[in-house]
Amino acid sequence: MGNMTVIGAQWGDEGKGKIVDLLSGDVDMVVRFQGGNNAGHTVIVNGERYVLHVIPSGILHPGKVCVIGSGVVLDPRTFLEEVDALAAKGIDVSPGRLKISHRAHLIMPYHCALDAAREGAEGKIGTTGRGIGPCYEDKKARIGIRAGDLADPDLVRRKVTEALREKNVLFSALYGVPTLDPGEAHAALMALAPRILPYLADVSSVILDGTARGRKALFEGAQGVMLDIDHGTYPYVTSSNTIADNAAVGAGVPSSSIDTRIAIVKAYTTRVGAGPFPTELNDSVGMHLQQKGGEFGATTGRARRCGWLDAVVLRETARLCAPTTMALTKLDVLGGLKELQICVGYEFQGQRTLYPPQGPNDLEHVTPLYESLPGWDEDISSCLTWDSLPANTRSYIERVEELMGVRAGFISVGPDRRQTIRRHGV
Ligand code: GDP
Ligand code: IMO
Ligand code: MG
């Protein structure tokens, strides 16, 4: 495999962190290209659990260069907390191997305040509250603060003052929440600058110079395709593009330099926050998936909604991202269920459809069409070869491959690096 992009195929939390960590052994650089600390990527190494929010999941492999691209929105406070937590565990987080694009936009406290104010008590979208949407809004409005701006305190002061001139009106007149003082906001940010500035780099050159010398890069997606701002279940989405081709844009490399696209598919479906979810289960099977799968958010701790695998979603991801391989995760969680269901299509307005309908609320009005497969009772978490998997597990995997039209090069049967079967020559 050459340079590769790893993306979530569903609504996030598919197990990207685990697979990126595994693949980091095969590459030299790991690059985040979108999203921010709304992500929570879990990696378990030798029984120790790490949750990475904005630092690439390759950081646990000594010597790998980890890059935060210009498409990422970076909260400098939480970035430094993550740096400190990793350093306390003996991980090298020095600027020699961890790089931030000068062009990455900074998440400011007023972005978090605006996120919270818009969500209100009821949590309209169910965002992670990390200020992601408001930060991307400022970027598009061309009033954002970029990491490289930290070298120019006067520029930052002007930008903070300008941003708060507008946002304080919203805080006081519209939302009735406390306004923020520009001087304090500026001072708080500039206090962090000496620790952020050493990490800044021309990351596009870092990646391209590396690949020109035969080094390999892995582009680590956050969230999942159904949370894509254009192609997901709008408005219940995140504020960035999560599809595979955004890796090139968000990292600053030509798309022709990436030849492998790996879609991470959880063997069932989960989603956090509000929004349509056709195969959601509010019964004992949903409870089985949540409990056995430990389906609680790695960022916010919220319980994840659970349901059957949805092949309509997988087909949509396949056509939007053209994955060259799939990593099928959390198969062990399905063990113990007598019968498994896969949604193979939807009934919508009296017709059978294989792709999500496009109208604003259409997904709320589809009926999933299920196919049943026999389950298995065995604990597969120590199966490390294809042949050692129960016949019913193999049939399930083969059916998922058929429905998505993508072969499963990785089969994950537990959270640890080692609990992975590789096949089809990947
Ligand atoms: P990400 O956001 O896509 O990186 O996924 P999260 O880390 O938010 O959630 C995935 C959860 O499933 C984490 O707790 C992982 O440790 C865990 N996990 C990953 N792969 C497997 C697997 O094959 N089996 C089990 N049981 N857990 C897994
Ligand atoms: P990883 O990378 C699951 C969801 C939120 C909410 C919506 C918008 O760990 O898979 P935002 O804070 O981005 O404005 O929230 O997107 N969401 C995620 N769901 N996994 C994630 O990341 C998510 N990041 C955001 O729950 O519904
Ligand atoms: Mg996650």
Side-chain angles (χ1 to χ4, degrees), residues 84-359:
D84 291 341
L86 289 168
K89 290 187 172 178
I91 313 283
D92 175 12
V93 280
S94 65
R97 69 175 297 221
L98 180 57
K99 321 250 174 219
I100 300 172
S101 167
H102 291 272
R103 296 173 177 170
H105 278 249
L106 298 181
I107 300 176
M108 298 291 289
Y110 48 78
H111 293 136
C112 300
L114 196 52
D115 196 357
R118 288 223 183 98
E119 281 289 279
E122 74 273 31
K124 286 188 190 118
I125 290 176
T127 71
T128 59
R130 301 299 190 264
I132 306 294
C135 184
Y136 277 119
E137 284 169 35
D138 280 3
K139 173 177 177 170
K140 295 280 158 128
R142 290 150 295 170
I143 57 169
I145 300 174
R146 307 205 290 183
D149 295 347
L150 293 176
D152 184 343
D154 287 336
L155 173 65
V156 175
R157 185 189 303 280
R158 285 199 299 278
K159 285 192 170 185
V160 170
T161 306
E162 199 55 25
L164 278 175
R165 213 160 61 88
E166 191 182 56
K167 283 167 182 75
N168 276 338
V169 175
L170 294 175
F171 292 147
S172 58
L174 188 60
Y175 296 115
V177 298
T179 56
L180 298 174
D181 178 67
E184 280 174 25
H186 175 258
L189 177 61
M190 291 316 298
L192 305 177
R195 287 197 65 198
I196 300 287
L197 286 168
Y199 288 104
L200 301 191
D202 172 356
V203 306
S204 176
S205 296
V206 169
I207 302 166
L208 292 172
D209 291 351
T211 52
R213 292 202 307 276
R215 305 239 162 101
K216 280 194 199 172
L218 183 161
F219 300 89
E220 175 181 3
Q223 292 83 51
V225 169
M226 288 297 121
L227 289 170
D228 184 283
I229 183 78
D230 287 292
H231 308 290
T233 49
Y234 192 88
Y236 302 101
V237 293
T238 191
S239 300
S240 65
N241 286 110
T242 56
I243 56 170
D245 278 350
N246 192 37
V249 178
V253 302
S255 54
S256 57
S257 66
I258 309 174
D259 51 22
T260 301
R261 291 171 300 281
I262 303 174
I264 315 293
V265 175
K266 194 183 282 195
Y268 48 95
T269 311
T270 62
R271 127 162 254 181
V272 200
F277 182 176
T279 63
E280 184 168 14
L281 293 167
N282 292 305
D283 60 8
S284 61
V285 177
M287 193 57 81
H288 169 106
L289 298 173
Q290 188 182 76
Q291 296 300 317
K292 191 166 180 192
E295 296 296 353
F296 296 90
T299 294
T300 58
R302 290 178 291 177
R304 296 173 182 153
R305 301 155 65 194
C306 297
W308 293 121
L309 188 69
D310 188 341
V312 176
V313 164
L314 300 187
R315 263 186 223 110
E316 180 73 347
T317 289
R319 74 172 174 179
L320 287 168
C321 302
T324 51
T325 191
M326 160 191 359
L328 189 55
T329 64
K330 304 196 85 160
L331 271 164
D332 53 306
V333 175
L334 294 180
L337 294 170
K338 228 179 189 50
E339 189 187 12
L340 304 174
Q341 312 243 51
I342 300 179
C343 166
V344 294
Y346 297 148
E347 189 185 298
F348 178 63
Q349 296 178 340
Q351 307 261 333
R352 184 188 159 99
T353 170
L354 297 179
Y355 290 93
Q358 300 287 307

Side-chain angles (χ1 to χ4, degrees), residues 34-115:
Q34 46 73 232
N37 59 320
N38 47 351
H41 295 178
T42 313
V43 179
I44 295 179
V45 187
N46 298 327
E48 178 118 43
R49 181 171 184 267
Y50 301 83
V51 181
L52 286 319
H53 296 289
V54 71
I55 293 179
S57 301
I59 198 77
L60 303 176
H61 283 262
K64 307 295 173 177
V65 172
C66 290
V67 175
I68 295 174
S70 66
V72 171
V73 286
L74 182 84
D75 186 324
R77 295 158 300 164
T78 60
F79 167 75
L80 291 173
E81 279 166 23
E82 209 167 318
V83 160
D84 291 341
L86 289 168
K89 290 187 172 178
I91 313 283
D92 175 12
V93 280
S94 65
R97 69 175 297 221
L98 180 57
K99 321 250 174 219
I100 300 172
S101 167
H102 291 272
R103 296 173 177 170
H105 278 249
L106 298 181
I107 300 176
M108 298 291 289
Y110 48 78
H111 293 136
C112 300
L114 196 52
D115 196 357

